[in-house]
Amino acid sequence: MRMDGALARVIRSTADRAATAEAEVCELCAARLAVEHPHLYDTGAAEVRCVCGPCSVLFADDGAGEGRYRLVPRRRLRLPPVDTAVLGVPVGLVFFVPRSDGTVTAQGPSPAGAMRWEVDAAAWQRLAATVPQLAAMAPDVEALLVNTVRGLDEHWIVPVDDCYRMIALVRREWRGLSGGGRVWPAVEQFFRELTERS
């Protein structure tokens, strides 16, 4: 009986350590994070960082942290179809991010992660002049997310963390050369689950 009790404690202890190791923590203060948590965009590393609520409040002002970290907004806005062909990106599943320095990048998911292109900034400015919501996007932290694959016509302004979730989903579900039978239904489900929020 004592062996069973000791073995049970060891198993529980190991499971607790594994759960703790897998739990996401704030990248600033190491506090454990809820499943839904805020993100910061690290302008120096060009990466999204997971943070807790209290740490995110420190960066609510764009000038906080000397501009190194920018709080990723929560806004999602569904747009009518936008003619992104003028931007010269040859894929149907892509997101466009205007940058603080005036450049614009386009990224599309692939089995190996994100493919990246530089977009002609003047072409972006011309497009933004016809779609006022694009001109109002927060640089670095909001993206125009487009899906015209398999007959869809989805256009959204979303936080960049949504775009990185989509890239991870494609990478996880992709099989073989063409993506297999799982990736496109998963992408369609991703877009069905997007909801507008301010």
Side-chain angles (χ1 to χ4, degrees), residues 2 6 10 16 20 28 46 61 63-65 71 106 126 164 167 178 183:
R2 294 180 116 199
V10 168
D16 290 346
T20 300
L28 296 181
D61 179 7
L71 185 61
R126 287 191 299 273
Y164 295 127
I167 286 173
S178 64
V183 68

Side-chain angles (χ1 to χ4, degrees), residues 94-178:
V94 64
F95 62 94
F96 300 90
V97 181
R99 303 291 176 185
S100 300
D101 63 4
T103 62
V104 179
T105 59
Q107 296 182 59
S110 78
M115 300 177 293
R116 185 179 170 133
W117 302 270
E118 292 296 321
V119 173
D120 178 43
W124 174 264
Q125 292 300 325
R126 287 191 299 273
L127 182 61
T130 65
V131 183
Q133 298 94 330
L134 300 182
M137 288 172 55
D140 301 316
V141 292
E142 285 189 313
L144 169 62
L145 176 60
V146 176
N147 183 9
T148 58
V149 176
R150 296 172 56 139
L152 295 179
D153 204 7
E154 300 273 355
H155 298 81
W156 289 81
I157 292 176
V158 298
V160 291
D161 51 1
D162 279 348
C163 300
Y164 295 127
R165 280 190 314 108
M166 185 208 40
I167 286 173
L169 176 136
V170 169
R171 191 170 185 188
R172 183 182 68 236
E173 300 296 338
W174 193 280
R175 301 291 181 271
L177 294 175
S178 64

Side-chain angles (χ1 to χ4, degrees), residues 30-104:
R32 290 185 77 171
L33 295 174
V35 173
E36 292 286 324
H37 54 267
H39 293 101
L40 292 179
Y41 180 74
D42 182 338
T43 60
E47 294 179 346
V48 173
R49 308 242 180 246
C50 297
V51 293
C52 64
C55 284
S56 74
V57 171
L58 299 172
F59 298 94
D61 179 7
D62 282 343
E66 297 178 351
R68 164 118 191 220
Y69 296 105
R70 302 209 45 222
L71 185 61
V72 176
R74 293 183 32 81
R75 175 174 81 130
R76 285 190 194 131
L77 178 63
R78 186 181 201 123
L79 299 175
V82 177
D83 182 14
T84 56
V86 298
L87 300 176
V89 176
V91 294
L93 182 59
V94 64
F95 62 94
F96 300 90
V97 181
R99 303 291 176 185
S100 300
D101 63 4
T103 62
V104 179

